[in-house]
Amino acid sequence: DGGITQSPKYLFRKEGQNVTLSCEQNLNHDAMYWYRQDPGQGLRLIYYSQIVNDFQKGDIAEGYSVSREKKESFPLTVTSAQKNPTAFYLCASSIQGATNYGYTFGSGTRLTVV
Amino acid sequence: AQKVTQAQTEISVVEKEDVTLDCVYETRDTTYYLFWYKQPPSGELVFLIRRNSFDEQNEISGRYSWNFQKSTSSFNFTITASQVVDSAVYFCALSEAQGYGGSQGNLIFGKGTKLSVKP
């Protein structure tokens, strides 16, 4: 079955460390997205990519980095510059430019700084 | 500017009560799409419904119904005879056909409404 896989489901990071969250999709979607979710904040867009080797900053990109070397993969790195990284991170994908399609979401990664 | 407002942060009801989740949106586009997603405690967002701006017909799916009114820019979601399994965070979202500023196709989410259904 096609879908989006996020790994790991839970991740613990020490302060000052970089950590990378994985997102893989086999839906043949061009567009991929990363969201951060905090209690009471809803979903906030971190980065998105509409095509391989291209990506754009979202609303809260500071302290994060991404790459899009393959259509199937859109990893997110939470760097040490992100001052408050503890949150739930959701990856999504969509058919690029298909405004009526909506997104397919992964099951999320919960990151905790210890 | 495009915006989705879900004014209800949390709602608590007793099982079998009806409950309506409000969603108000803002957009300059004449062609746009509205969505509702459900996020159960497991975390994954589950697609519930999609409507386009030219179709104001209300929709019913089992215990779920949606009321789309362009005149008030609202897309409200009603659960009839709520059940404990309906407990989740519900998100309303907007996608614009034009997408000013390069946001075409990007979903704009409201902040969500947390629904708790007590037995």
PDB file of all heavy atoms in Angstrom, chain A residues 71-102:
ATOM      1  N   LYS A  71      12.873  12.097  -4.955  1.00  0.00           N
ATOM      2  CA  LYS A  71      11.448  12.412  -4.918  1.00  0.00           C
ATOM      3  C   LYS A  71      10.788  11.787  -3.697  1.00  0.00           C
ATOM      4  O   LYS A  71       9.867  12.344  -3.097  1.00  0.00           O
ATOM      5  CB  LYS A  71      10.784  11.883  -6.187  1.00  0.00           C
ATOM      6  CG  LYS A  71       9.339  12.289  -6.371  1.00  0.00           C
ATOM      7  CD  LYS A  71       8.837  11.798  -7.722  1.00  0.00           C
ATOM      8  CE  LYS A  71       7.443  12.296  -7.993  1.00  0.00           C
ATOM      9  NZ  LYS A  71       6.959  11.865  -9.331  1.00  0.00           N
ATOM     10  N   GLU A  72      11.270  10.602  -3.300  1.00  0.00           N
ATOM     11  CA  GLU A  72      10.620   9.846  -2.241  1.00  0.00           C
ATOM     12  C   GLU A  72      10.966  10.328  -0.846  1.00  0.00           C
ATOM     13  O   GLU A  72      10.297   9.960   0.118  1.00  0.00           O
ATOM     14  CB  GLU A  72      11.013   8.365  -2.350  1.00  0.00           C
ATOM     15  CG  GLU A  72      10.680   7.700  -3.668  1.00  0.00           C
ATOM     16  CD  GLU A  72      11.682   8.027  -4.756  1.00  0.00           C
ATOM     17  OE1 GLU A  72      12.804   8.482  -4.431  1.00  0.00           O
ATOM     18  OE2 GLU A  72      11.364   7.850  -5.942  1.00  0.00           O
ATOM     19  N   SER A  73      12.018  11.118  -0.717  1.00  0.00           N
ATOM     20  CA  SER A  73      12.562  11.385   0.605  1.00  0.00           C
ATOM     21  C   SER A  73      12.693  12.877   0.891  1.00  0.00           C
ATOM     22  O   SER A  73      13.151  13.645   0.031  1.00  0.00           O
ATOM     23  CB  SER A  73      13.935  10.711   0.712  1.00  0.00           C
ATOM     24  OG  SER A  73      14.518  10.964   1.971  1.00  0.00           O
ATOM     25  N   PHE A  74      12.341  13.268   2.103  1.00  0.00           N
ATOM     26  CA  PHE A  74      12.406  14.683   2.490  1.00  0.00           C
ATOM     27  C   PHE A  74      12.802  14.748   3.976  1.00  0.00           C
ATOM     28  O   PHE A  74      11.977  15.063   4.834  1.00  0.00           O
ATOM     29  CB  PHE A  74      11.055  15.345   2.245  1.00  0.00           C
ATOM     30  CG  PHE A  74      11.051  16.849   2.350  1.00  0.00           C
ATOM     31  CD1 PHE A  74      12.090  17.609   1.842  1.00  0.00           C
ATOM     32  CD2 PHE A  74       9.969  17.516   2.924  1.00  0.00           C
ATOM     33  CE1 PHE A  74      12.074  18.994   1.913  1.00  0.00           C
ATOM     34  CE2 PHE A  74       9.941  18.899   3.002  1.00  0.00           C
ATOM     35  CZ  PHE A  74      10.998  19.632   2.493  1.00  0.00           C
ATOM     36  N   PRO A  75      14.062  14.486   4.295  1.00  0.00           N
ATOM     37  CA  PRO A  75      14.476  14.480   5.703  1.00  0.00           C
ATOM     38  C   PRO A  75      14.561  15.886   6.288  1.00  0.00           C
ATOM     39  O   PRO A  75      14.932  16.838   5.591  1.00  0.00           O
ATOM     40  CB  PRO A  75      15.853  13.811   5.652  1.00  0.00           C
ATOM     41  CG  PRO A  75      16.343  14.050   4.262  1.00  0.00           C
ATOM     42  CD  PRO A  75      15.132  14.077   3.388  1.00  0.00           C
ATOM     43  N   LEU A  76      14.264  15.976   7.552  1.00  0.00           N
ATOM     44  CA  LEU A  76      14.312  17.247   8.294  1.00  0.00           C
ATOM     45  C   LEU A  76      15.375  17.141   9.383  1.00  0.00           C
ATOM     46  O   LEU A  76      15.351  16.208  10.186  1.00  0.00           O
ATOM     47  CB  LEU A  76      12.957  17.527   8.940  1.00  0.00           C
ATOM     48  CG  LEU A  76      12.889  18.734   9.893  1.00  0.00           C
ATOM     49  CD1 LEU A  76      12.908  20.035   9.109  1.00  0.00           C
ATOM     50  CD2 LEU A  76      11.634  18.665  10.761  1.00  0.00           C
ATOM     51  N   THR A  77      16.298  18.090   9.392  1.00  0.00           N
ATOM     52  CA  THR A  77      17.300  18.142  10.450  1.00  0.00           C
ATOM     53  C   THR A  77      16.958  19.260  11.422  1.00  0.00           C
ATOM     54  O   THR A  77      16.769  20.411  11.003  1.00  0.00           O
ATOM     55  CB  THR A  77      18.714  18.350   9.878  1.00  0.00           C
ATOM     56  OG1 THR A  77      19.055  17.221   9.076  1.00  0.00           O
ATOM     57  CG2 THR A  77      19.738  18.489  10.996  1.00  0.00           C
ATOM     58  N   VAL A  78      16.869  18.907  12.679  1.00  0.00           N
ATOM     59  CA  VAL A  78      16.661  19.886  13.737  1.00  0.00           C
ATOM     60  C   VAL A  78      18.039  20.219  14.284  1.00  0.00           C
ATOM     61  O   VAL A  78      18.722  19.360  14.852  1.00  0.00           O
ATOM     62  CB  VAL A  78      15.751  19.328  14.842  1.00  0.00           C
ATOM     63  CG1 VAL A  78      15.452  20.395  15.879  1.00  0.00           C
ATOM     64  CG2 VAL A  78      14.456  18.788  14.241  1.00  0.00           C
ATOM     65  N   THR A  79      18.475  21.423  14.080  1.00  0.00           N
ATOM     66  CA  THR A  79      19.840  21.781  14.456  1.00  0.00           C
ATOM     67  C   THR A  79      19.890  22.315  15.886  1.00  0.00           C
ATOM     68  O   THR A  79      18.856  22.608  16.506  1.00  0.00           O
ATOM     69  CB  THR A  79      20.402  22.844  13.500  1.00  0.00           C
ATOM     70  OG1 THR A  79      19.796  24.107  13.791  1.00  0.00           O
ATOM     71  CG2 THR A  79      20.155  22.462  12.043  1.00  0.00           C
ATOM     72  N   SER A  80      21.095  22.482  16.370  1.00  0.00           N
ATOM     73  CA  SER A  80      21.291  23.000  17.727  1.00  0.00           C
ATOM     74  C   SER A  80      20.830  24.457  17.833  1.00  0.00           C
ATOM     75  O   SER A  80      20.644  24.978  18.929  1.00  0.00           O
ATOM     76  CB  SER A  80      22.762  22.880  18.133  1.00  0.00           C
ATOM     77  OG  SER A  80      23.574  23.546  17.190  1.00  0.00           O
ATOM     78  N   ALA A  81      20.632  25.094  16.688  1.00  0.00           N
ATOM     79  CA  ALA A  81      20.160  26.478  16.697  1.00  0.00           C
ATOM     80  C   ALA A  81      18.679  26.591  17.024  1.00  0.00           C
ATOM     81  O   ALA A  81      18.193  27.687  17.334  1.00  0.00           O
ATOM     82  CB  ALA A  81      20.429  27.131  15.341  1.00  0.00           C
ATOM     83  N   GLN A  82      17.977  25.493  16.956  1.00  0.00           N
ATOM     84  CA  GLN A  82      16.547  25.496  17.300  1.00  0.00           C
ATOM     85  C   GLN A  82      16.442  25.452  18.813  1.00  0.00           C
ATOM     86  O   GLN A  82      16.740  24.438  19.439  1.00  0.00           O
ATOM     87  CB  GLN A  82      15.842  24.305  16.650  1.00  0.00           C
ATOM     88  CG  GLN A  82      14.410  24.064  17.085  1.00  0.00           C
ATOM     89  CD  GLN A  82      13.522  25.304  17.054  1.00  0.00           C
ATOM     90  OE1 GLN A  82      12.947  25.695  18.050  1.00  0.00           O
ATOM     91  NE2 GLN A  82      13.435  25.909  15.894  1.00  0.00           N
ATOM     92  N   LYS A  83      15.978  26.539  19.401  1.00  0.00           N
ATOM     93  CA  LYS A  83      16.044  26.697  20.855  1.00  0.00           C
ATOM     94  C   LYS A  83      15.003  25.879  21.602  1.00  0.00           C
ATOM     95  O   LYS A  83      15.185  25.576  22.781  1.00  0.00           O
ATOM     96  CB  LYS A  83      15.874  28.183  21.210  1.00  0.00           C
ATOM     97  CG  LYS A  83      16.987  29.063  20.662  1.00  0.00           C
ATOM     98  CD  LYS A  83      18.356  28.545  21.060  1.00  0.00           C
ATOM     99  CE  LYS A  83      19.460  29.401  20.478  1.00  0.00           C
ATOM    100  NZ  LYS A  83      20.801  28.783  20.722  1.00  0.00           N
ATOM    101  N   ASN A  84      13.929  25.559  20.967  1.00  0.00           N
ATOM    102  CA  ASN A  84      12.874  24.818  21.648  1.00  0.00           C
ATOM    103  C   ASN A  84      12.356  23.714  20.743  1.00  0.00           C
ATOM    104  O   ASN A  84      11.250  23.806  20.214  1.00  0.00           O
ATOM    105  CB  ASN A  84      11.735  25.774  22.042  1.00  0.00           C
ATOM    106  CG  ASN A  84      10.682  25.088  22.871  1.00  0.00           C
ATOM    107  OD1 ASN A  84      10.933  24.054  23.493  1.00  0.00           O
ATOM    108  ND2 ASN A  84       9.476  25.641  22.866  1.00  0.00           N
ATOM    109  N   PRO A  85      13.132  22.664  20.534  1.00  0.00           N
ATOM    110  CA  PRO A  85      12.767  21.664  19.534  1.00  0.00           C
ATOM    111  C   PRO A  85      11.763  20.617  19.995  1.00  0.00           C
ATOM    112  O   PRO A  85      11.255  19.864  19.150  1.00  0.00           O
ATOM    113  CB  PRO A  85      14.107  21.001  19.212  1.00  0.00           C
ATOM    114  CG  PRO A  85      14.885  21.131  20.481  1.00  0.00           C
ATOM    115  CD  PRO A  85      14.463  22.430  21.104  1.00  0.00           C
ATOM    116  N   THR A  86      11.475  20.551  21.260  1.00  0.00           N
ATOM    117  CA  THR A  86      10.539  19.536  21.732  1.00  0.00           C
ATOM    118  C   THR A  86       9.164  19.798  21.141  1.00  0.00           C
ATOM    119  O   THR A  86       8.553  20.837  21.388  1.00  0.00           O
ATOM    120  CB  THR A  86      10.459  19.552  23.265  1.00  0.00           C
ATOM    121  OG1 THR A  86      11.719  19.148  23.797  1.00  0.00           O
ATOM    122  CG2 THR A  86       9.381  18.603  23.767  1.00  0.00           C
ATOM    123  N   ALA A  87       8.682  18.855  20.338  1.00  0.00           N
ATOM    124  CA  ALA A  87       7.406  19.025  19.641  1.00  0.00           C
ATOM    125  C   ALA A  87       7.086  17.733  18.897  1.00  0.00           C
ATOM    126  O   ALA A  87       7.870  16.795  18.858  1.00  0.00           O
ATOM    127  CB  ALA A  87       7.473  20.193  18.646  1.00  0.00           C
ATOM    128  N   PHE A  88       5.920  17.744  18.279  1.00  0.00           N
ATOM    129  CA  PHE A  88       5.482  16.651  17.417  1.00  0.00           C
ATOM    130  C   PHE A  88       5.656  17.123  15.979  1.00  0.00           C
ATOM    131  O   PHE A  88       5.188  18.203  15.611  1.00  0.00           O
ATOM    132  CB  PHE A  88       4.017  16.331  17.727  1.00  0.00           C
ATOM    133  CG  PHE A  88       3.480  15.130  17.022  1.00  0.00           C
ATOM    134  CD1 PHE A  88       4.055  13.888  17.200  1.00  0.00           C
ATOM    135  CD2 PHE A  88       2.379  15.241  16.191  1.00  0.00           C
ATOM    136  CE1 PHE A  88       3.549  12.769  16.564  1.00  0.00           C
ATOM    137  CE2 PHE A  88       1.855  14.131  15.545  1.00  0.00           C
ATOM    138  CZ  PHE A  88       2.440  12.892  15.740  1.00  0.00           C
ATOM    139  N   TYR A  89       6.336  16.319  15.161  1.00  0.00           N
ATOM    140  CA  TYR A  89       6.640  16.714  13.791  1.00  0.00           C
ATOM    141  C   TYR A  89       5.893  15.817  12.812  1.00  0.00           C
ATOM    142  O   TYR A  89       5.968  14.588  12.889  1.00  0.00           O
ATOM    143  CB  TYR A  89       8.148  16.627  13.535  1.00  0.00           C
ATOM    144  CG  TYR A  89       8.932  17.657  14.308  1.00  0.00           C
ATOM    145  CD1 TYR A  89       9.358  17.402  15.606  1.00  0.00           C
ATOM    146  CD2 TYR A  89       9.220  18.902  13.747  1.00  0.00           C
ATOM    147  CE1 TYR A  89      10.051  18.362  16.326  1.00  0.00           C
ATOM    148  CE2 TYR A  89       9.913  19.865  14.459  1.00  0.00           C
ATOM    149  CZ  TYR A  89      10.324  19.591  15.744  1.00  0.00           C
ATOM    150  OH  TYR A  89      11.015  20.546  16.462  1.00  0.00           O
ATOM    151  N   LEU A  90       5.215  16.453  11.885  1.00  0.00           N
ATOM    152  CA  LEU A  90       4.432  15.734  10.887  1.00  0.00           C
ATOM    153  C   LEU A  90       4.950  16.029   9.492  1.00  0.00           C
ATOM    154  O   LEU A  90       5.215  17.175   9.143  1.00  0.00           O
ATOM    155  CB  LEU A  90       2.965  16.153  10.965  1.00  0.00           C
ATOM    156  CG  LEU A  90       2.135  15.496  12.065  1.00  0.00           C
ATOM    157  CD1 LEU A  90       0.864  16.286  12.301  1.00  0.00           C
ATOM    158  CD2 LEU A  90       1.805  14.059  11.707  1.00  0.00           C
ATOM    159  N   CYS A  91       5.068  14.974   8.710  1.00  0.00           N
ATOM    160  CA  CYS A  91       5.445  15.087   7.316  1.00  0.00           C
ATOM    161  C   CYS A  91       4.212  14.804   6.465  1.00  0.00           C
ATOM    162  O   CYS A  91       3.347  14.001   6.860  1.00  0.00           O
ATOM    163  CB  CYS A  91       6.549  14.079   7.004  1.00  0.00           C
ATOM    164  SG  CYS A  91       7.121  14.073   5.299  1.00  0.00           S
ATOM    165  N   ALA A  92       4.103  15.454   5.326  1.00  0.00           N
ATOM    166  CA  ALA A  92       2.963  15.245   4.439  1.00  0.00           C
ATOM    167  C   ALA A  92       3.431  15.319   2.992  1.00  0.00           C
ATOM    168  O   ALA A  92       4.504  15.854   2.690  1.00  0.00           O
ATOM    169  CB  ALA A  92       1.875  16.292   4.697  1.00  0.00           C
ATOM    170  N   SER A  93       2.613  14.795   2.110  1.00  0.00           N
ATOM    171  CA  SER A  93       2.914  14.896   0.686  1.00  0.00           C
ATOM    172  C   SER A  93       1.640  15.158  -0.089  1.00  0.00           C
ATOM    173  O   SER A  93       0.531  14.928   0.405  1.00  0.00           O
ATOM    174  CB  SER A  93       3.593  13.623   0.177  1.00  0.00           C
ATOM    175  OG  SER A  93       2.669  12.540   0.139  1.00  0.00           O
ATOM    176  N   SER A  94       1.828  15.640  -1.326  1.00  0.00           N
ATOM    177  CA  SER A  94       0.682  15.977  -2.159  1.00  0.00           C
ATOM    178  C   SER A  94       1.104  15.965  -3.618  1.00  0.00           C
ATOM    179  O   SER A  94       2.289  16.068  -3.932  1.00  0.00           O
ATOM    180  CB  SER A  94       0.146  17.362  -1.767  1.00  0.00           C
ATOM    181  OG  SER A  94      -0.964  17.718  -2.548  1.00  0.00           O
ATOM    182  N   ILE A  95       0.122  15.896  -4.500  1.00  0.00           N
ATOM    183  CA  ILE A  95       0.384  16.062  -5.928  1.00  0.00           C
ATOM    184  C   ILE A  95       0.641  17.547  -6.153  1.00  0.00           C
ATOM    185  O   ILE A  95      -0.204  18.382  -5.818  1.00  0.00           O
ATOM    186  CB  ILE A  95      -0.813  15.588  -6.762  1.00  0.00           C
ATOM    187  CG1 ILE A  95      -1.048  14.090  -6.530  1.00  0.00           C
ATOM    188  CG2 ILE A  95      -0.586  15.855  -8.238  1.00  0.00           C
ATOM    189  CD1 ILE A  95      -2.328  13.583  -7.163  1.00  0.00           C
ATOM    190  N   GLN A  96       1.783  17.874  -6.712  1.00  0.00           N
ATOM    191  CA  GLN A  96       2.169  19.273  -6.846  1.00  0.00           C
ATOM    192  C   GLN A  96       1.198  20.027  -7.725  1.00  0.00           C
ATOM    193  O   GLN A  96       0.856  19.572  -8.815  1.00  0.00           O
ATOM    194  CB  GLN A  96       3.584  19.369  -7.430  1.00  0.00           C
ATOM    195  CG  GLN A  96       4.248  20.722  -7.246  1.00  0.00           C
ATOM    196  CD  GLN A  96       3.872  21.724  -8.326  1.00  0.00           C
ATOM    197  OE1 GLN A  96       3.583  21.340  -9.445  1.00  0.00           O
ATOM    198  NE2 GLN A  96       3.870  23.002  -7.997  1.00  0.00           N
ATOM    199  N   GLY A  97       0.724  21.165  -7.220  1.00  0.00           N
ATOM    200  CA  GLY A  97      -0.173  22.009  -7.990  1.00  0.00           C
ATOM    201  C   GLY A  97      -1.615  21.547  -7.974  1.00  0.00           C
ATOM    202  O   GLY A  97      -2.492  22.239  -8.480  1.00  0.00           O
ATOM    203  N   ALA A  98      -1.868  20.402  -7.380  1.00  0.00           N
ATOM    204  CA  ALA A  98      -3.248  19.893  -7.342  1.00  0.00           C
ATOM    205  C   ALA A  98      -3.933  20.469  -6.119  1.00  0.00           C
ATOM    206  O   ALA A  98      -3.948  19.860  -5.053  1.00  0.00           O
ATOM    207  CB  ALA A  98      -3.245  18.373  -7.311  1.00  0.00           C
ATOM    208  N   THR A  99      -4.501  21.637  -6.272  1.00  0.00           N
ATOM    209  CA  THR A  99      -5.034  22.346  -5.128  1.00  0.00           C
ATOM    210  C   THR A  99      -6.244  21.657  -4.526  1.00  0.00           C
ATOM    211  O   THR A  99      -6.619  21.937  -3.401  1.00  0.00           O
ATOM    212  CB  THR A  99      -5.419  23.772  -5.530  1.00  0.00           C
ATOM    213  OG1 THR A  99      -6.336  23.708  -6.638  1.00  0.00           O
ATOM    214  CG2 THR A  99      -4.196  24.548  -5.963  1.00  0.00           C
ATOM    215  N   ASN A 100      -6.856  20.760  -5.269  1.00  0.00           N
ATOM    216  CA  ASN A 100      -8.043  20.084  -4.746  1.00  0.00           C
ATOM    217  C   ASN A 100      -7.713  18.774  -4.068  1.00  0.00           C
ATOM    218  O   ASN A 100      -8.587  18.089  -3.574  1.00  0.00           O
ATOM    219  CB  ASN A 100      -9.028  19.807  -5.885  1.00  0.00           C
ATOM    220  CG  ASN A 100      -8.426  18.861  -6.909  1.00  0.00           C
ATOM    221  OD1 ASN A 100      -7.224  18.852  -7.124  1.00  0.00           O
ATOM    222  ND2 ASN A 100      -9.264  18.068  -7.552  1.00  0.00           N
ATOM    223  N   TYR A 101      -6.439  18.440  -4.009  1.00  0.00           N
ATOM    224  CA  TYR A 101      -6.080  17.095  -3.562  1.00  0.00           C
ATOM    225  C   TYR A 101      -5.931  16.985  -2.066  1.00  0.00           C
ATOM    226  O   TYR A 101      -6.279  15.982  -1.468  1.00  0.00           O
ATOM    227  CB  TYR A 101      -4.778  16.676  -4.249  1.00  0.00           C
ATOM    228  CG  TYR A 101      -4.399  15.242  -3.998  1.00  0.00           C
ATOM    229  CD1 TYR A 101      -4.995  14.213  -4.717  1.00  0.00           C
ATOM    230  CD2 TYR A 101      -3.446  14.928  -3.045  1.00  0.00           C
ATOM    231  CE1 TYR A 101      -4.642  12.902  -4.487  1.00  0.00           C
ATOM    232  CE2 TYR A 101      -3.088  13.618  -2.812  1.00  0.00           C
ATOM    233  CZ  TYR A 101      -3.681  12.610  -3.537  1.00  0.00           C
ATOM    234  OH  TYR A 101      -3.343  11.308  -3.299  1.00  0.00           O
ATOM    235  N   GLY A 102      -5.410  18.022  -1.433  1.00  0.00           N
ATOM    236  CA  GLY A 102      -5.122  17.904  -0.017  1.00  0.00           C
ATOM    237  C   GLY A 102      -3.839  17.137   0.203  1.00  0.00           C
ATOM    238  O   GLY A 102      -3.073  16.876  -0.728  1.00  0.00           O
TER     239      GLY A 102
END
